[in-house]
Amino acid sequence: MTPRPGTMRLACMFSSVLLFGAAGLLLFISLQDPMELAPQQAPGIKFNIRPRQPHHDLPPGGSQDGDLKAPTERITRDLSSGAPRGRNLPAPDQPQSPLQRGTRLRLRQRRRRLLIKKMPAAATIPANSSDVPFIRPGPGTLDGRWVSLHRSQQERKRVMQEACAKYRASSSRRAVTPRHVSRIFVEDRHRVLYCEVPKAGCSNWKRVLMVLAGLASSTSDIQHNTVHYGSALKRLDTFDRQGILHRLSTYTKMLFVREPFERLVSAFRDKFEHPNSYYHPVFGKAILARYRANASREALRTGSGVRFPEFVQYLLDVHRPVGMDIHWDHVSRLCSPCLIDYDFVGKFESMEDDANFFLSLIRAPRNLTFPRFKDRHSQEARTTARIAHQYFAQLSALQRQRTYDFYYMDYLMFNYSKPFADLY
């Protein structure tokens, strides 16, 4: 049976109405803010801007949202106080329409974006190469000084890594051997590895490690011989290969360095200008026999009285009559910083700030600070840049240049400036 023309027109009109209705619905949906259609988050749950620290790692009085809580609340108050008069924002427990919920959600997200943009880059401390991330001091101590110290750490690590990439690229591909970690001391309770650099505060650092390990109650109670000749602290090379690699990958690794010329002069003054039952007979006698013309029989017998130019002659001689010593060896040889990725690089010149910053990072007891006392020859002035210049003034320009060349990698890796203007 053939359908009537009127019936066909009616069906076409009905189909057109359905199509227009569907198109209008699609257009309405496309014009909506997607966030208005998103479900509202449960009260009290905040956006995760960064991985949250475990609750037991938080400083006393802190919250799980860390330092973001106070700035977020401050920005919220500022924005709320700027709302137009007469506009009443609904209380949290009042029923809200979907449009109001969407508006509040967008405001919260905008505040979060504003907060992230305004946060200084150094305020969030990135994870280091170990599995255990650095934890910033508590919110009460995060002032400009702490931020400056963290930025200084970032810059020191950057300079060191660039020097290694340029001059020691092959080092990063070598396997770590016990020799590379023979100067590294282990403190298991706070998961710290410390590479000892003599004449850069190493005696007091080992005292600090002993207190951290519970071996002493105070750094002032530990004698010099206990520090250097006792076996209280373990060295990393005493562990098996698995123990070495595990600690290198999970512990916080740190070293402290010193301006190379000052460190050299400090070592010379300590070992050769004071009575010493080891350095005088072992090094002094060999140096005097090789580099002093017409040395007296008494000098050759005791090894005492070595002069600084003679000591430098020994240092620069490729055929030394006696071997190298850790007190004047390169830091790059002692600690292998191009092979081991240190998490913290401190400097003797800023020892107090750097040391106490590090102790805060590892959450050491609050009453433990880096000791200030001079370990040996306490009545004698510490070696400063001025004193080092006086000693190096005894050398020729060529000897100064060759000594600078000898320590060139240490100058480069740790960003020390040239100590004399005529060096190149």
Side-chain angles (χ1 to χ4, degrees), residues 189-209:
R189 287 177 63 179
H190 292 77
R191 303 166 70 88
V192 171
L193 298 180
Y194 164 63
C195 185
E196 174 192 35
V197 176
K199 311 313 298 179
C202 68
S203 298
N204 281 338
W205 264 118
K206 286 193 275 190
R207 287 185 172 92
V208 169
L209 293 183

Side-chain angles (χ1 to χ4, degrees), residues 209-229:
L209 293 183
M210 292 174 71
V211 173
L212 288 173
L215 302 173
S217 59
S218 170
T219 55
S220 60
D221 298 336
I222 308 172
Q223 300 299 315
H224 177 85
N225 287 349
T226 305
V227 170
H228 288 286
Y229 306 119

Side-chain angles (χ1 to χ4, degrees), residues 79-80 83 86-92 94 96 100 103-104 107 111:
L79 291 177
S80 299
R87 181 176 178 179
N88 296 321
L89 294 178
Q94 291 179 345
Q96 300 176 18
Q100 288 173 322
T103 302
R104 289 176 64 82
L107 273 174
R111 291 166 193 154

Side-chain angles (χ1 to χ4, degrees), residues 246-270:
H246 168 71
R247 285 168 175 80
L248 284 174
S249 63
T250 60
Y251 284 25
T252 302
K253 303 174 291 295
M254 67 99 164
L255 78 161
F256 270 71
V257 298
R258 186 176 185 178
E259 202 281 335
F261 277 17
E262 291 179 32
R263 177 172 167 252
L264 181 67
V265 171
S266 176
F268 173 78
R269 296 175 71 199
D270 181 27

Side-chain angles (χ1 to χ4, degrees), residues 171 174-184 195 236-237 248 332-337 339-340 342:
S171 295
R174 294 162 58 191
V176 176
T177 67
R179 183 190 70 78
H180 294 122
V181 298
S182 62
R183 307 309 312 171
I184 295 180
C195 185
L236 189 55
D237 64 348
L248 284 174
S332 53
R333 277 173 47 94
L334 294 171
C335 297
S336 302
L339 181 63
I340 298 169
Y342 286 91

Side-chain angles (χ1 to χ4, degrees), residues 57-278:
D57 284 339
L58 294 170
S63 69
Q64 280 191 306
D65 292 304
D67 301 320
L68 297 179
K69 182 175 180 180
T72 305
E73 292 175 349
R74 185 168 60 252
I75 292 177
T76 303
R77 288 196 298 270
D78 293 344
L79 291 177
S80 299
S81 63
R85 284 190 175 185
R87 181 176 178 179
N88 296 321
L89 294 178
D93 56 349
Q94 291 179 345
Q96 300 176 18
S97 68
L99 180 60
Q100 288 173 322
R101 287 200 301 269
T103 302
R104 289 176 64 82
L105 192 59
R106 288 199 303 276
L107 273 174
R108 284 200 298 272
Q109 286 188 321
R110 193 174 302 119
R111 291 166 193 154
R112 294 282 182 183
R113 289 194 295 271
L114 180 63
L115 176 61
I116 295 171
K117 288 179 180 179
K118 287 190 173 183
M119 285 176 65
T124 301
I125 297 185
N128 57 34
S129 60
S130 302
D131 294 340
V132 182
F134 271 167
I135 299 174
R136 183 176 51 198
T141 61
L142 186 62
D143 54 18
R145 186 166 61 95
W146 289 120
V147 172
S148 174
L149 287 168
H150 172 61
R151 286 177 175 158
S152 176
Q153 281 301 309
Q154 289 181 314
E155 178 64 13
R156 288 174 189 175
K157 289 191 65 177
R158 182 192 66 79
V159 170
M160 186 172 68
Q161 289 165 356
E162 286 183 358
C164 288
K166 186 173 182 180
Y167 294 98
R168 301 282 174 87
S170 62
S171 295
S172 60
R173 298 189 293 271
R174 294 162 58 191
V176 176
T177 67
R179 183 190 70 78
H180 294 122
V181 298
S182 62
R183 307 309 312 171
I184 295 180
F185 289 86
V186 179
E187 200 287 287
D188 284 313
R189 287 177 63 179
H190 292 77
R191 303 166 70 88
V192 171
L193 298 180
Y194 164 63
C195 185
E196 174 192 35
V197 176
K199 311 313 298 179
C202 68
S203 298
N204 281 338
W205 264 118
K206 286 193 275 190
R207 287 185 172 92
V208 169
L209 293 183
M210 292 174 71
V211 173
L212 288 173
L215 302 173
S217 59
S218 170
T219 55
S220 60
D221 298 336
I222 308 172
Q223 300 299 315
H224 177 85
N225 287 349
T226 305
V227 170
H228 288 286
Y229 306 119
S231 57
L233 293 174
K234 291 183 178 179
R235 295 179 189 264
L236 189 55
D237 64 348
T238 61
F239 295 87
D240 60 19
R241 180 166 180 79
Q242 183 178 358
I244 291 174
L245 295 179
H246 168 71
R247 285 168 175 80
L248 284 174
S249 63
T250 60
Y251 284 25
T252 302
K253 303 174 291 295
M254 67 99 164
L255 78 161
F256 270 71
V257 298
R258 186 176 185 178
E259 202 281 335
F261 277 17
E262 291 179 32
R263 177 172 167 252
L264 181 67
V265 171
S266 176
F268 173 78
R269 296 175 71 199
D270 181 27
K271 305 306 179 188
F272 295 101
E273 292 187 348
H274 300 275
N276 192 294
S277 60
Y278 174 74

Side-chain angles (χ1 to χ4, degrees), residues 12-74:
C12 289
M13 290 177 62
F14 183 70
S15 300
S16 300
V17 169
L18 287 176
L19 288 172
F20 277 113
L25 181 61
L26 290 173
L27 180 62
F28 174 77
I29 292 173
S30 67
L31 292 175
Q32 290 297 307
D33 189 328
M35 295 311 302
E36 292 183 7
L37 303 177
Q40 185 181 12
Q41 294 193 43
I45 297 178
K46 299 182 182 296
F47 289 92
N48 286 324
I49 296 178
R50 61 181 178 183
R52 298 167 78 169
Q53 298 290 345
H55 188 70
H56 63 273
D57 284 339
L58 294 170
S63 69
Q64 280 191 306
D65 292 304
D67 301 320
L68 297 179
K69 182 175 180 180
T72 305
E73 292 175 349
R74 185 168 60 252

